[in-house]
Amino acid sequence: MIPEDFLNPETIAVLTQRALDASTNLLLAAAILIAGMIVAGSMRKAIVRAVHKSSRIDDTLGAFFASLAYWALMIVVLIAVLSRFGVETTSLVATLGAATLAIGLALQGTLSNLAAGVMIVMFRPYGLGDWVEVAGQSGTVKDINLFTTILATGDNKKIIVPNGEGWGSVIVNYSANATRRVDLGFSIDYGDDIDKAMAVITAVLEADERVLKDPAVFTAVKAHGSSSIDIVCRAWCATGDYWGVFFDAMKDVKLAFDKDGISIPYPHQVNVARKS
């Protein structure tokens, strides 16, 4: 049974006021959280846009600091939300300080990713838009944030690499230098003229305007194979032209070989009749 005192006007007024206060705090907390998320997101986008417009700030640094500013503002928003429910910010800060060691031990992997992210931004082994190989994964760098590096593969798959694994492993940056060497290999028959074949390969590469004149195209015999003479060709080009030069050279050299009567050997199978 409900006590009679519970239904008196004073009790009802007190409960009503408490319900209104709780509802008000809940609505204000939700409003602060939503507004904070909108402002933090807008600020992150504004920082990224400002960096794109400035030639003095690297895009990688811009993306990193935009992410840092976003999370810093979100922490302030969360503290403001908690304060609406009567949580003293001073005691909250003290509690967080006391729990730092425990959190640090529990989140060693996360904190190592954060530290690695700072190291990546400071030393810049790669930046946005670079084609890299990180932690055994290859792709174009799309984003570098506090904890992860986002890659896009050649077939547009998204790969998320924790910064700790990326920084702690071998990093290969294929876009770091302005030029790259294209290594090509060709095989000719033992009966073909080696000098002629080498001259044809060199001429094809030198005719490509994307191939640099200095260093000059290098062509030499690499090995005497089991059924062919193997020739290596090395040419230099701008990094962005690498695959275009490679694929076109493989096609154009084959066409030039056909035109000049140079054969490319392929496996033959000889059937030997067995005597009964």
Side-chain angles (χ1 to χ4, degrees):
M1 297 179 63
I2 300 175
E4 294 182 1
D5 292 343
F6 186 80
L7 299 176
N8 64 61
E10 291 79 6
T11 303
I12 294 175
V14 170
L15 293 176
T16 302
Q17 186 60 43
R18 289 180 179 178
L20 288 174
D21 292 342
S23 300
T24 302
N25 286 331
L26 182 60
L27 290 174
L28 288 174
I32 292 172
L33 181 60
I34 294 172
M37 294 177 64
I38 294 174
V39 172
S42 299
M43 183 177 64
R44 178 165 59 181
K45 293 178 180 178
I47 293 175
V48 172
R49 285 196 299 267
V51 169
H52 285 324
K53 294 179 181 179
S54 175
S55 58
R56 295 179 296 177
I57 304 177
D58 185 79
D59 287 346
T60 303
L61 280 174
F64 183 84
F65 286 124
S67 180
L68 184 64
Y70 174 84
W71 288 109
L73 183 56
M74 285 304 301
I75 291 174
V76 175
V77 171
L78 290 176
I79 292 175
V81 169
L82 291 175
S83 67
R84 295 305 311 172
F85 295 100
V87 178
E88 293 292 338
T89 56
T90 53
S91 61
L92 177 62
V93 172
T95 303
L96 289 176
T100 298
L101 180 60
I103 294 174
L105 292 174
L107 301 176
Q108 289 184 38
T110 301
L111 293 178
S112 67
N113 289 332
L114 174 61
V118 174
M119 298 298 288
I120 290 172
V121 171
M122 288 179 59
F123 294 98
R124 301 187 190 183
Y126 52 80
L128 298 180
D130 288 349
W131 179 269
V132 298
E133 184 176 335
V134 180
Q137 303 294 330
S138 298
T140 301
V141 179
K142 292 297 184 180
D143 185 30
I144 303 172
N145 56 48
L146 291 177
F147 305 105
T148 62
T149 294
I150 310 299
L151 304 179
T153 63
D155 55 351
N156 206 30
K157 289 186 292 188
K158 181 179 181 180
I159 298 180
I160 302 175
V161 180
N163 286 334
E165 293 187 16
W167 181 253
S169 63
V170 176
I171 299 172
V172 181
N173 189 336
Y174 296 97
S175 304
N177 298 319
T179 59
R180 282 187 64 186
R181 192 182 74 185
V182 183
D183 292 343
L184 301 162
F186 304 97
S187 298
I188 63 172
D189 192 89
Y190 269 93
D192 289 325
D193 187 329
I194 296 177
D195 292 330
K196 182 179 179 181
M198 292 171 57
V200 169
I201 296 171
T202 301
V204 169
L205 269 298
E206 289 179 344
D208 192 331
E209 296 181 353
R210 296 167 297 183
V211 174
L212 302 179
K213 305 301 180 183
D214 185 22
V217 175
F218 173 81
T219 309
V221 175
K222 179 181 180 182
H224 296 170
S226 59
S227 60
S228 65
I229 296 293
D230 299 327
I231 299 175
V232 62
C233 177
R234 296 170 180 170
W236 289 83
C237 67
T239 299
D241 293 331
Y242 178 88
W243 287 112
V245 171
F246 179 90
F247 291 130
D248 288 345
M250 296 301 292
K251 173 186 175 182
D252 294 340
V253 168
K254 172 61 170 65
L255 296 176
F257 276 2
D258 292 343
K259 181 178 178 181
D260 288 275
I262 299 172
S263 58
I264 297 178
Y266 52 90
H268 291 76
Q269 183 176 353
V270 178
N271 293 324
V272 179
R274 182 179 179 180
K275 295 182 180 180
S276 58

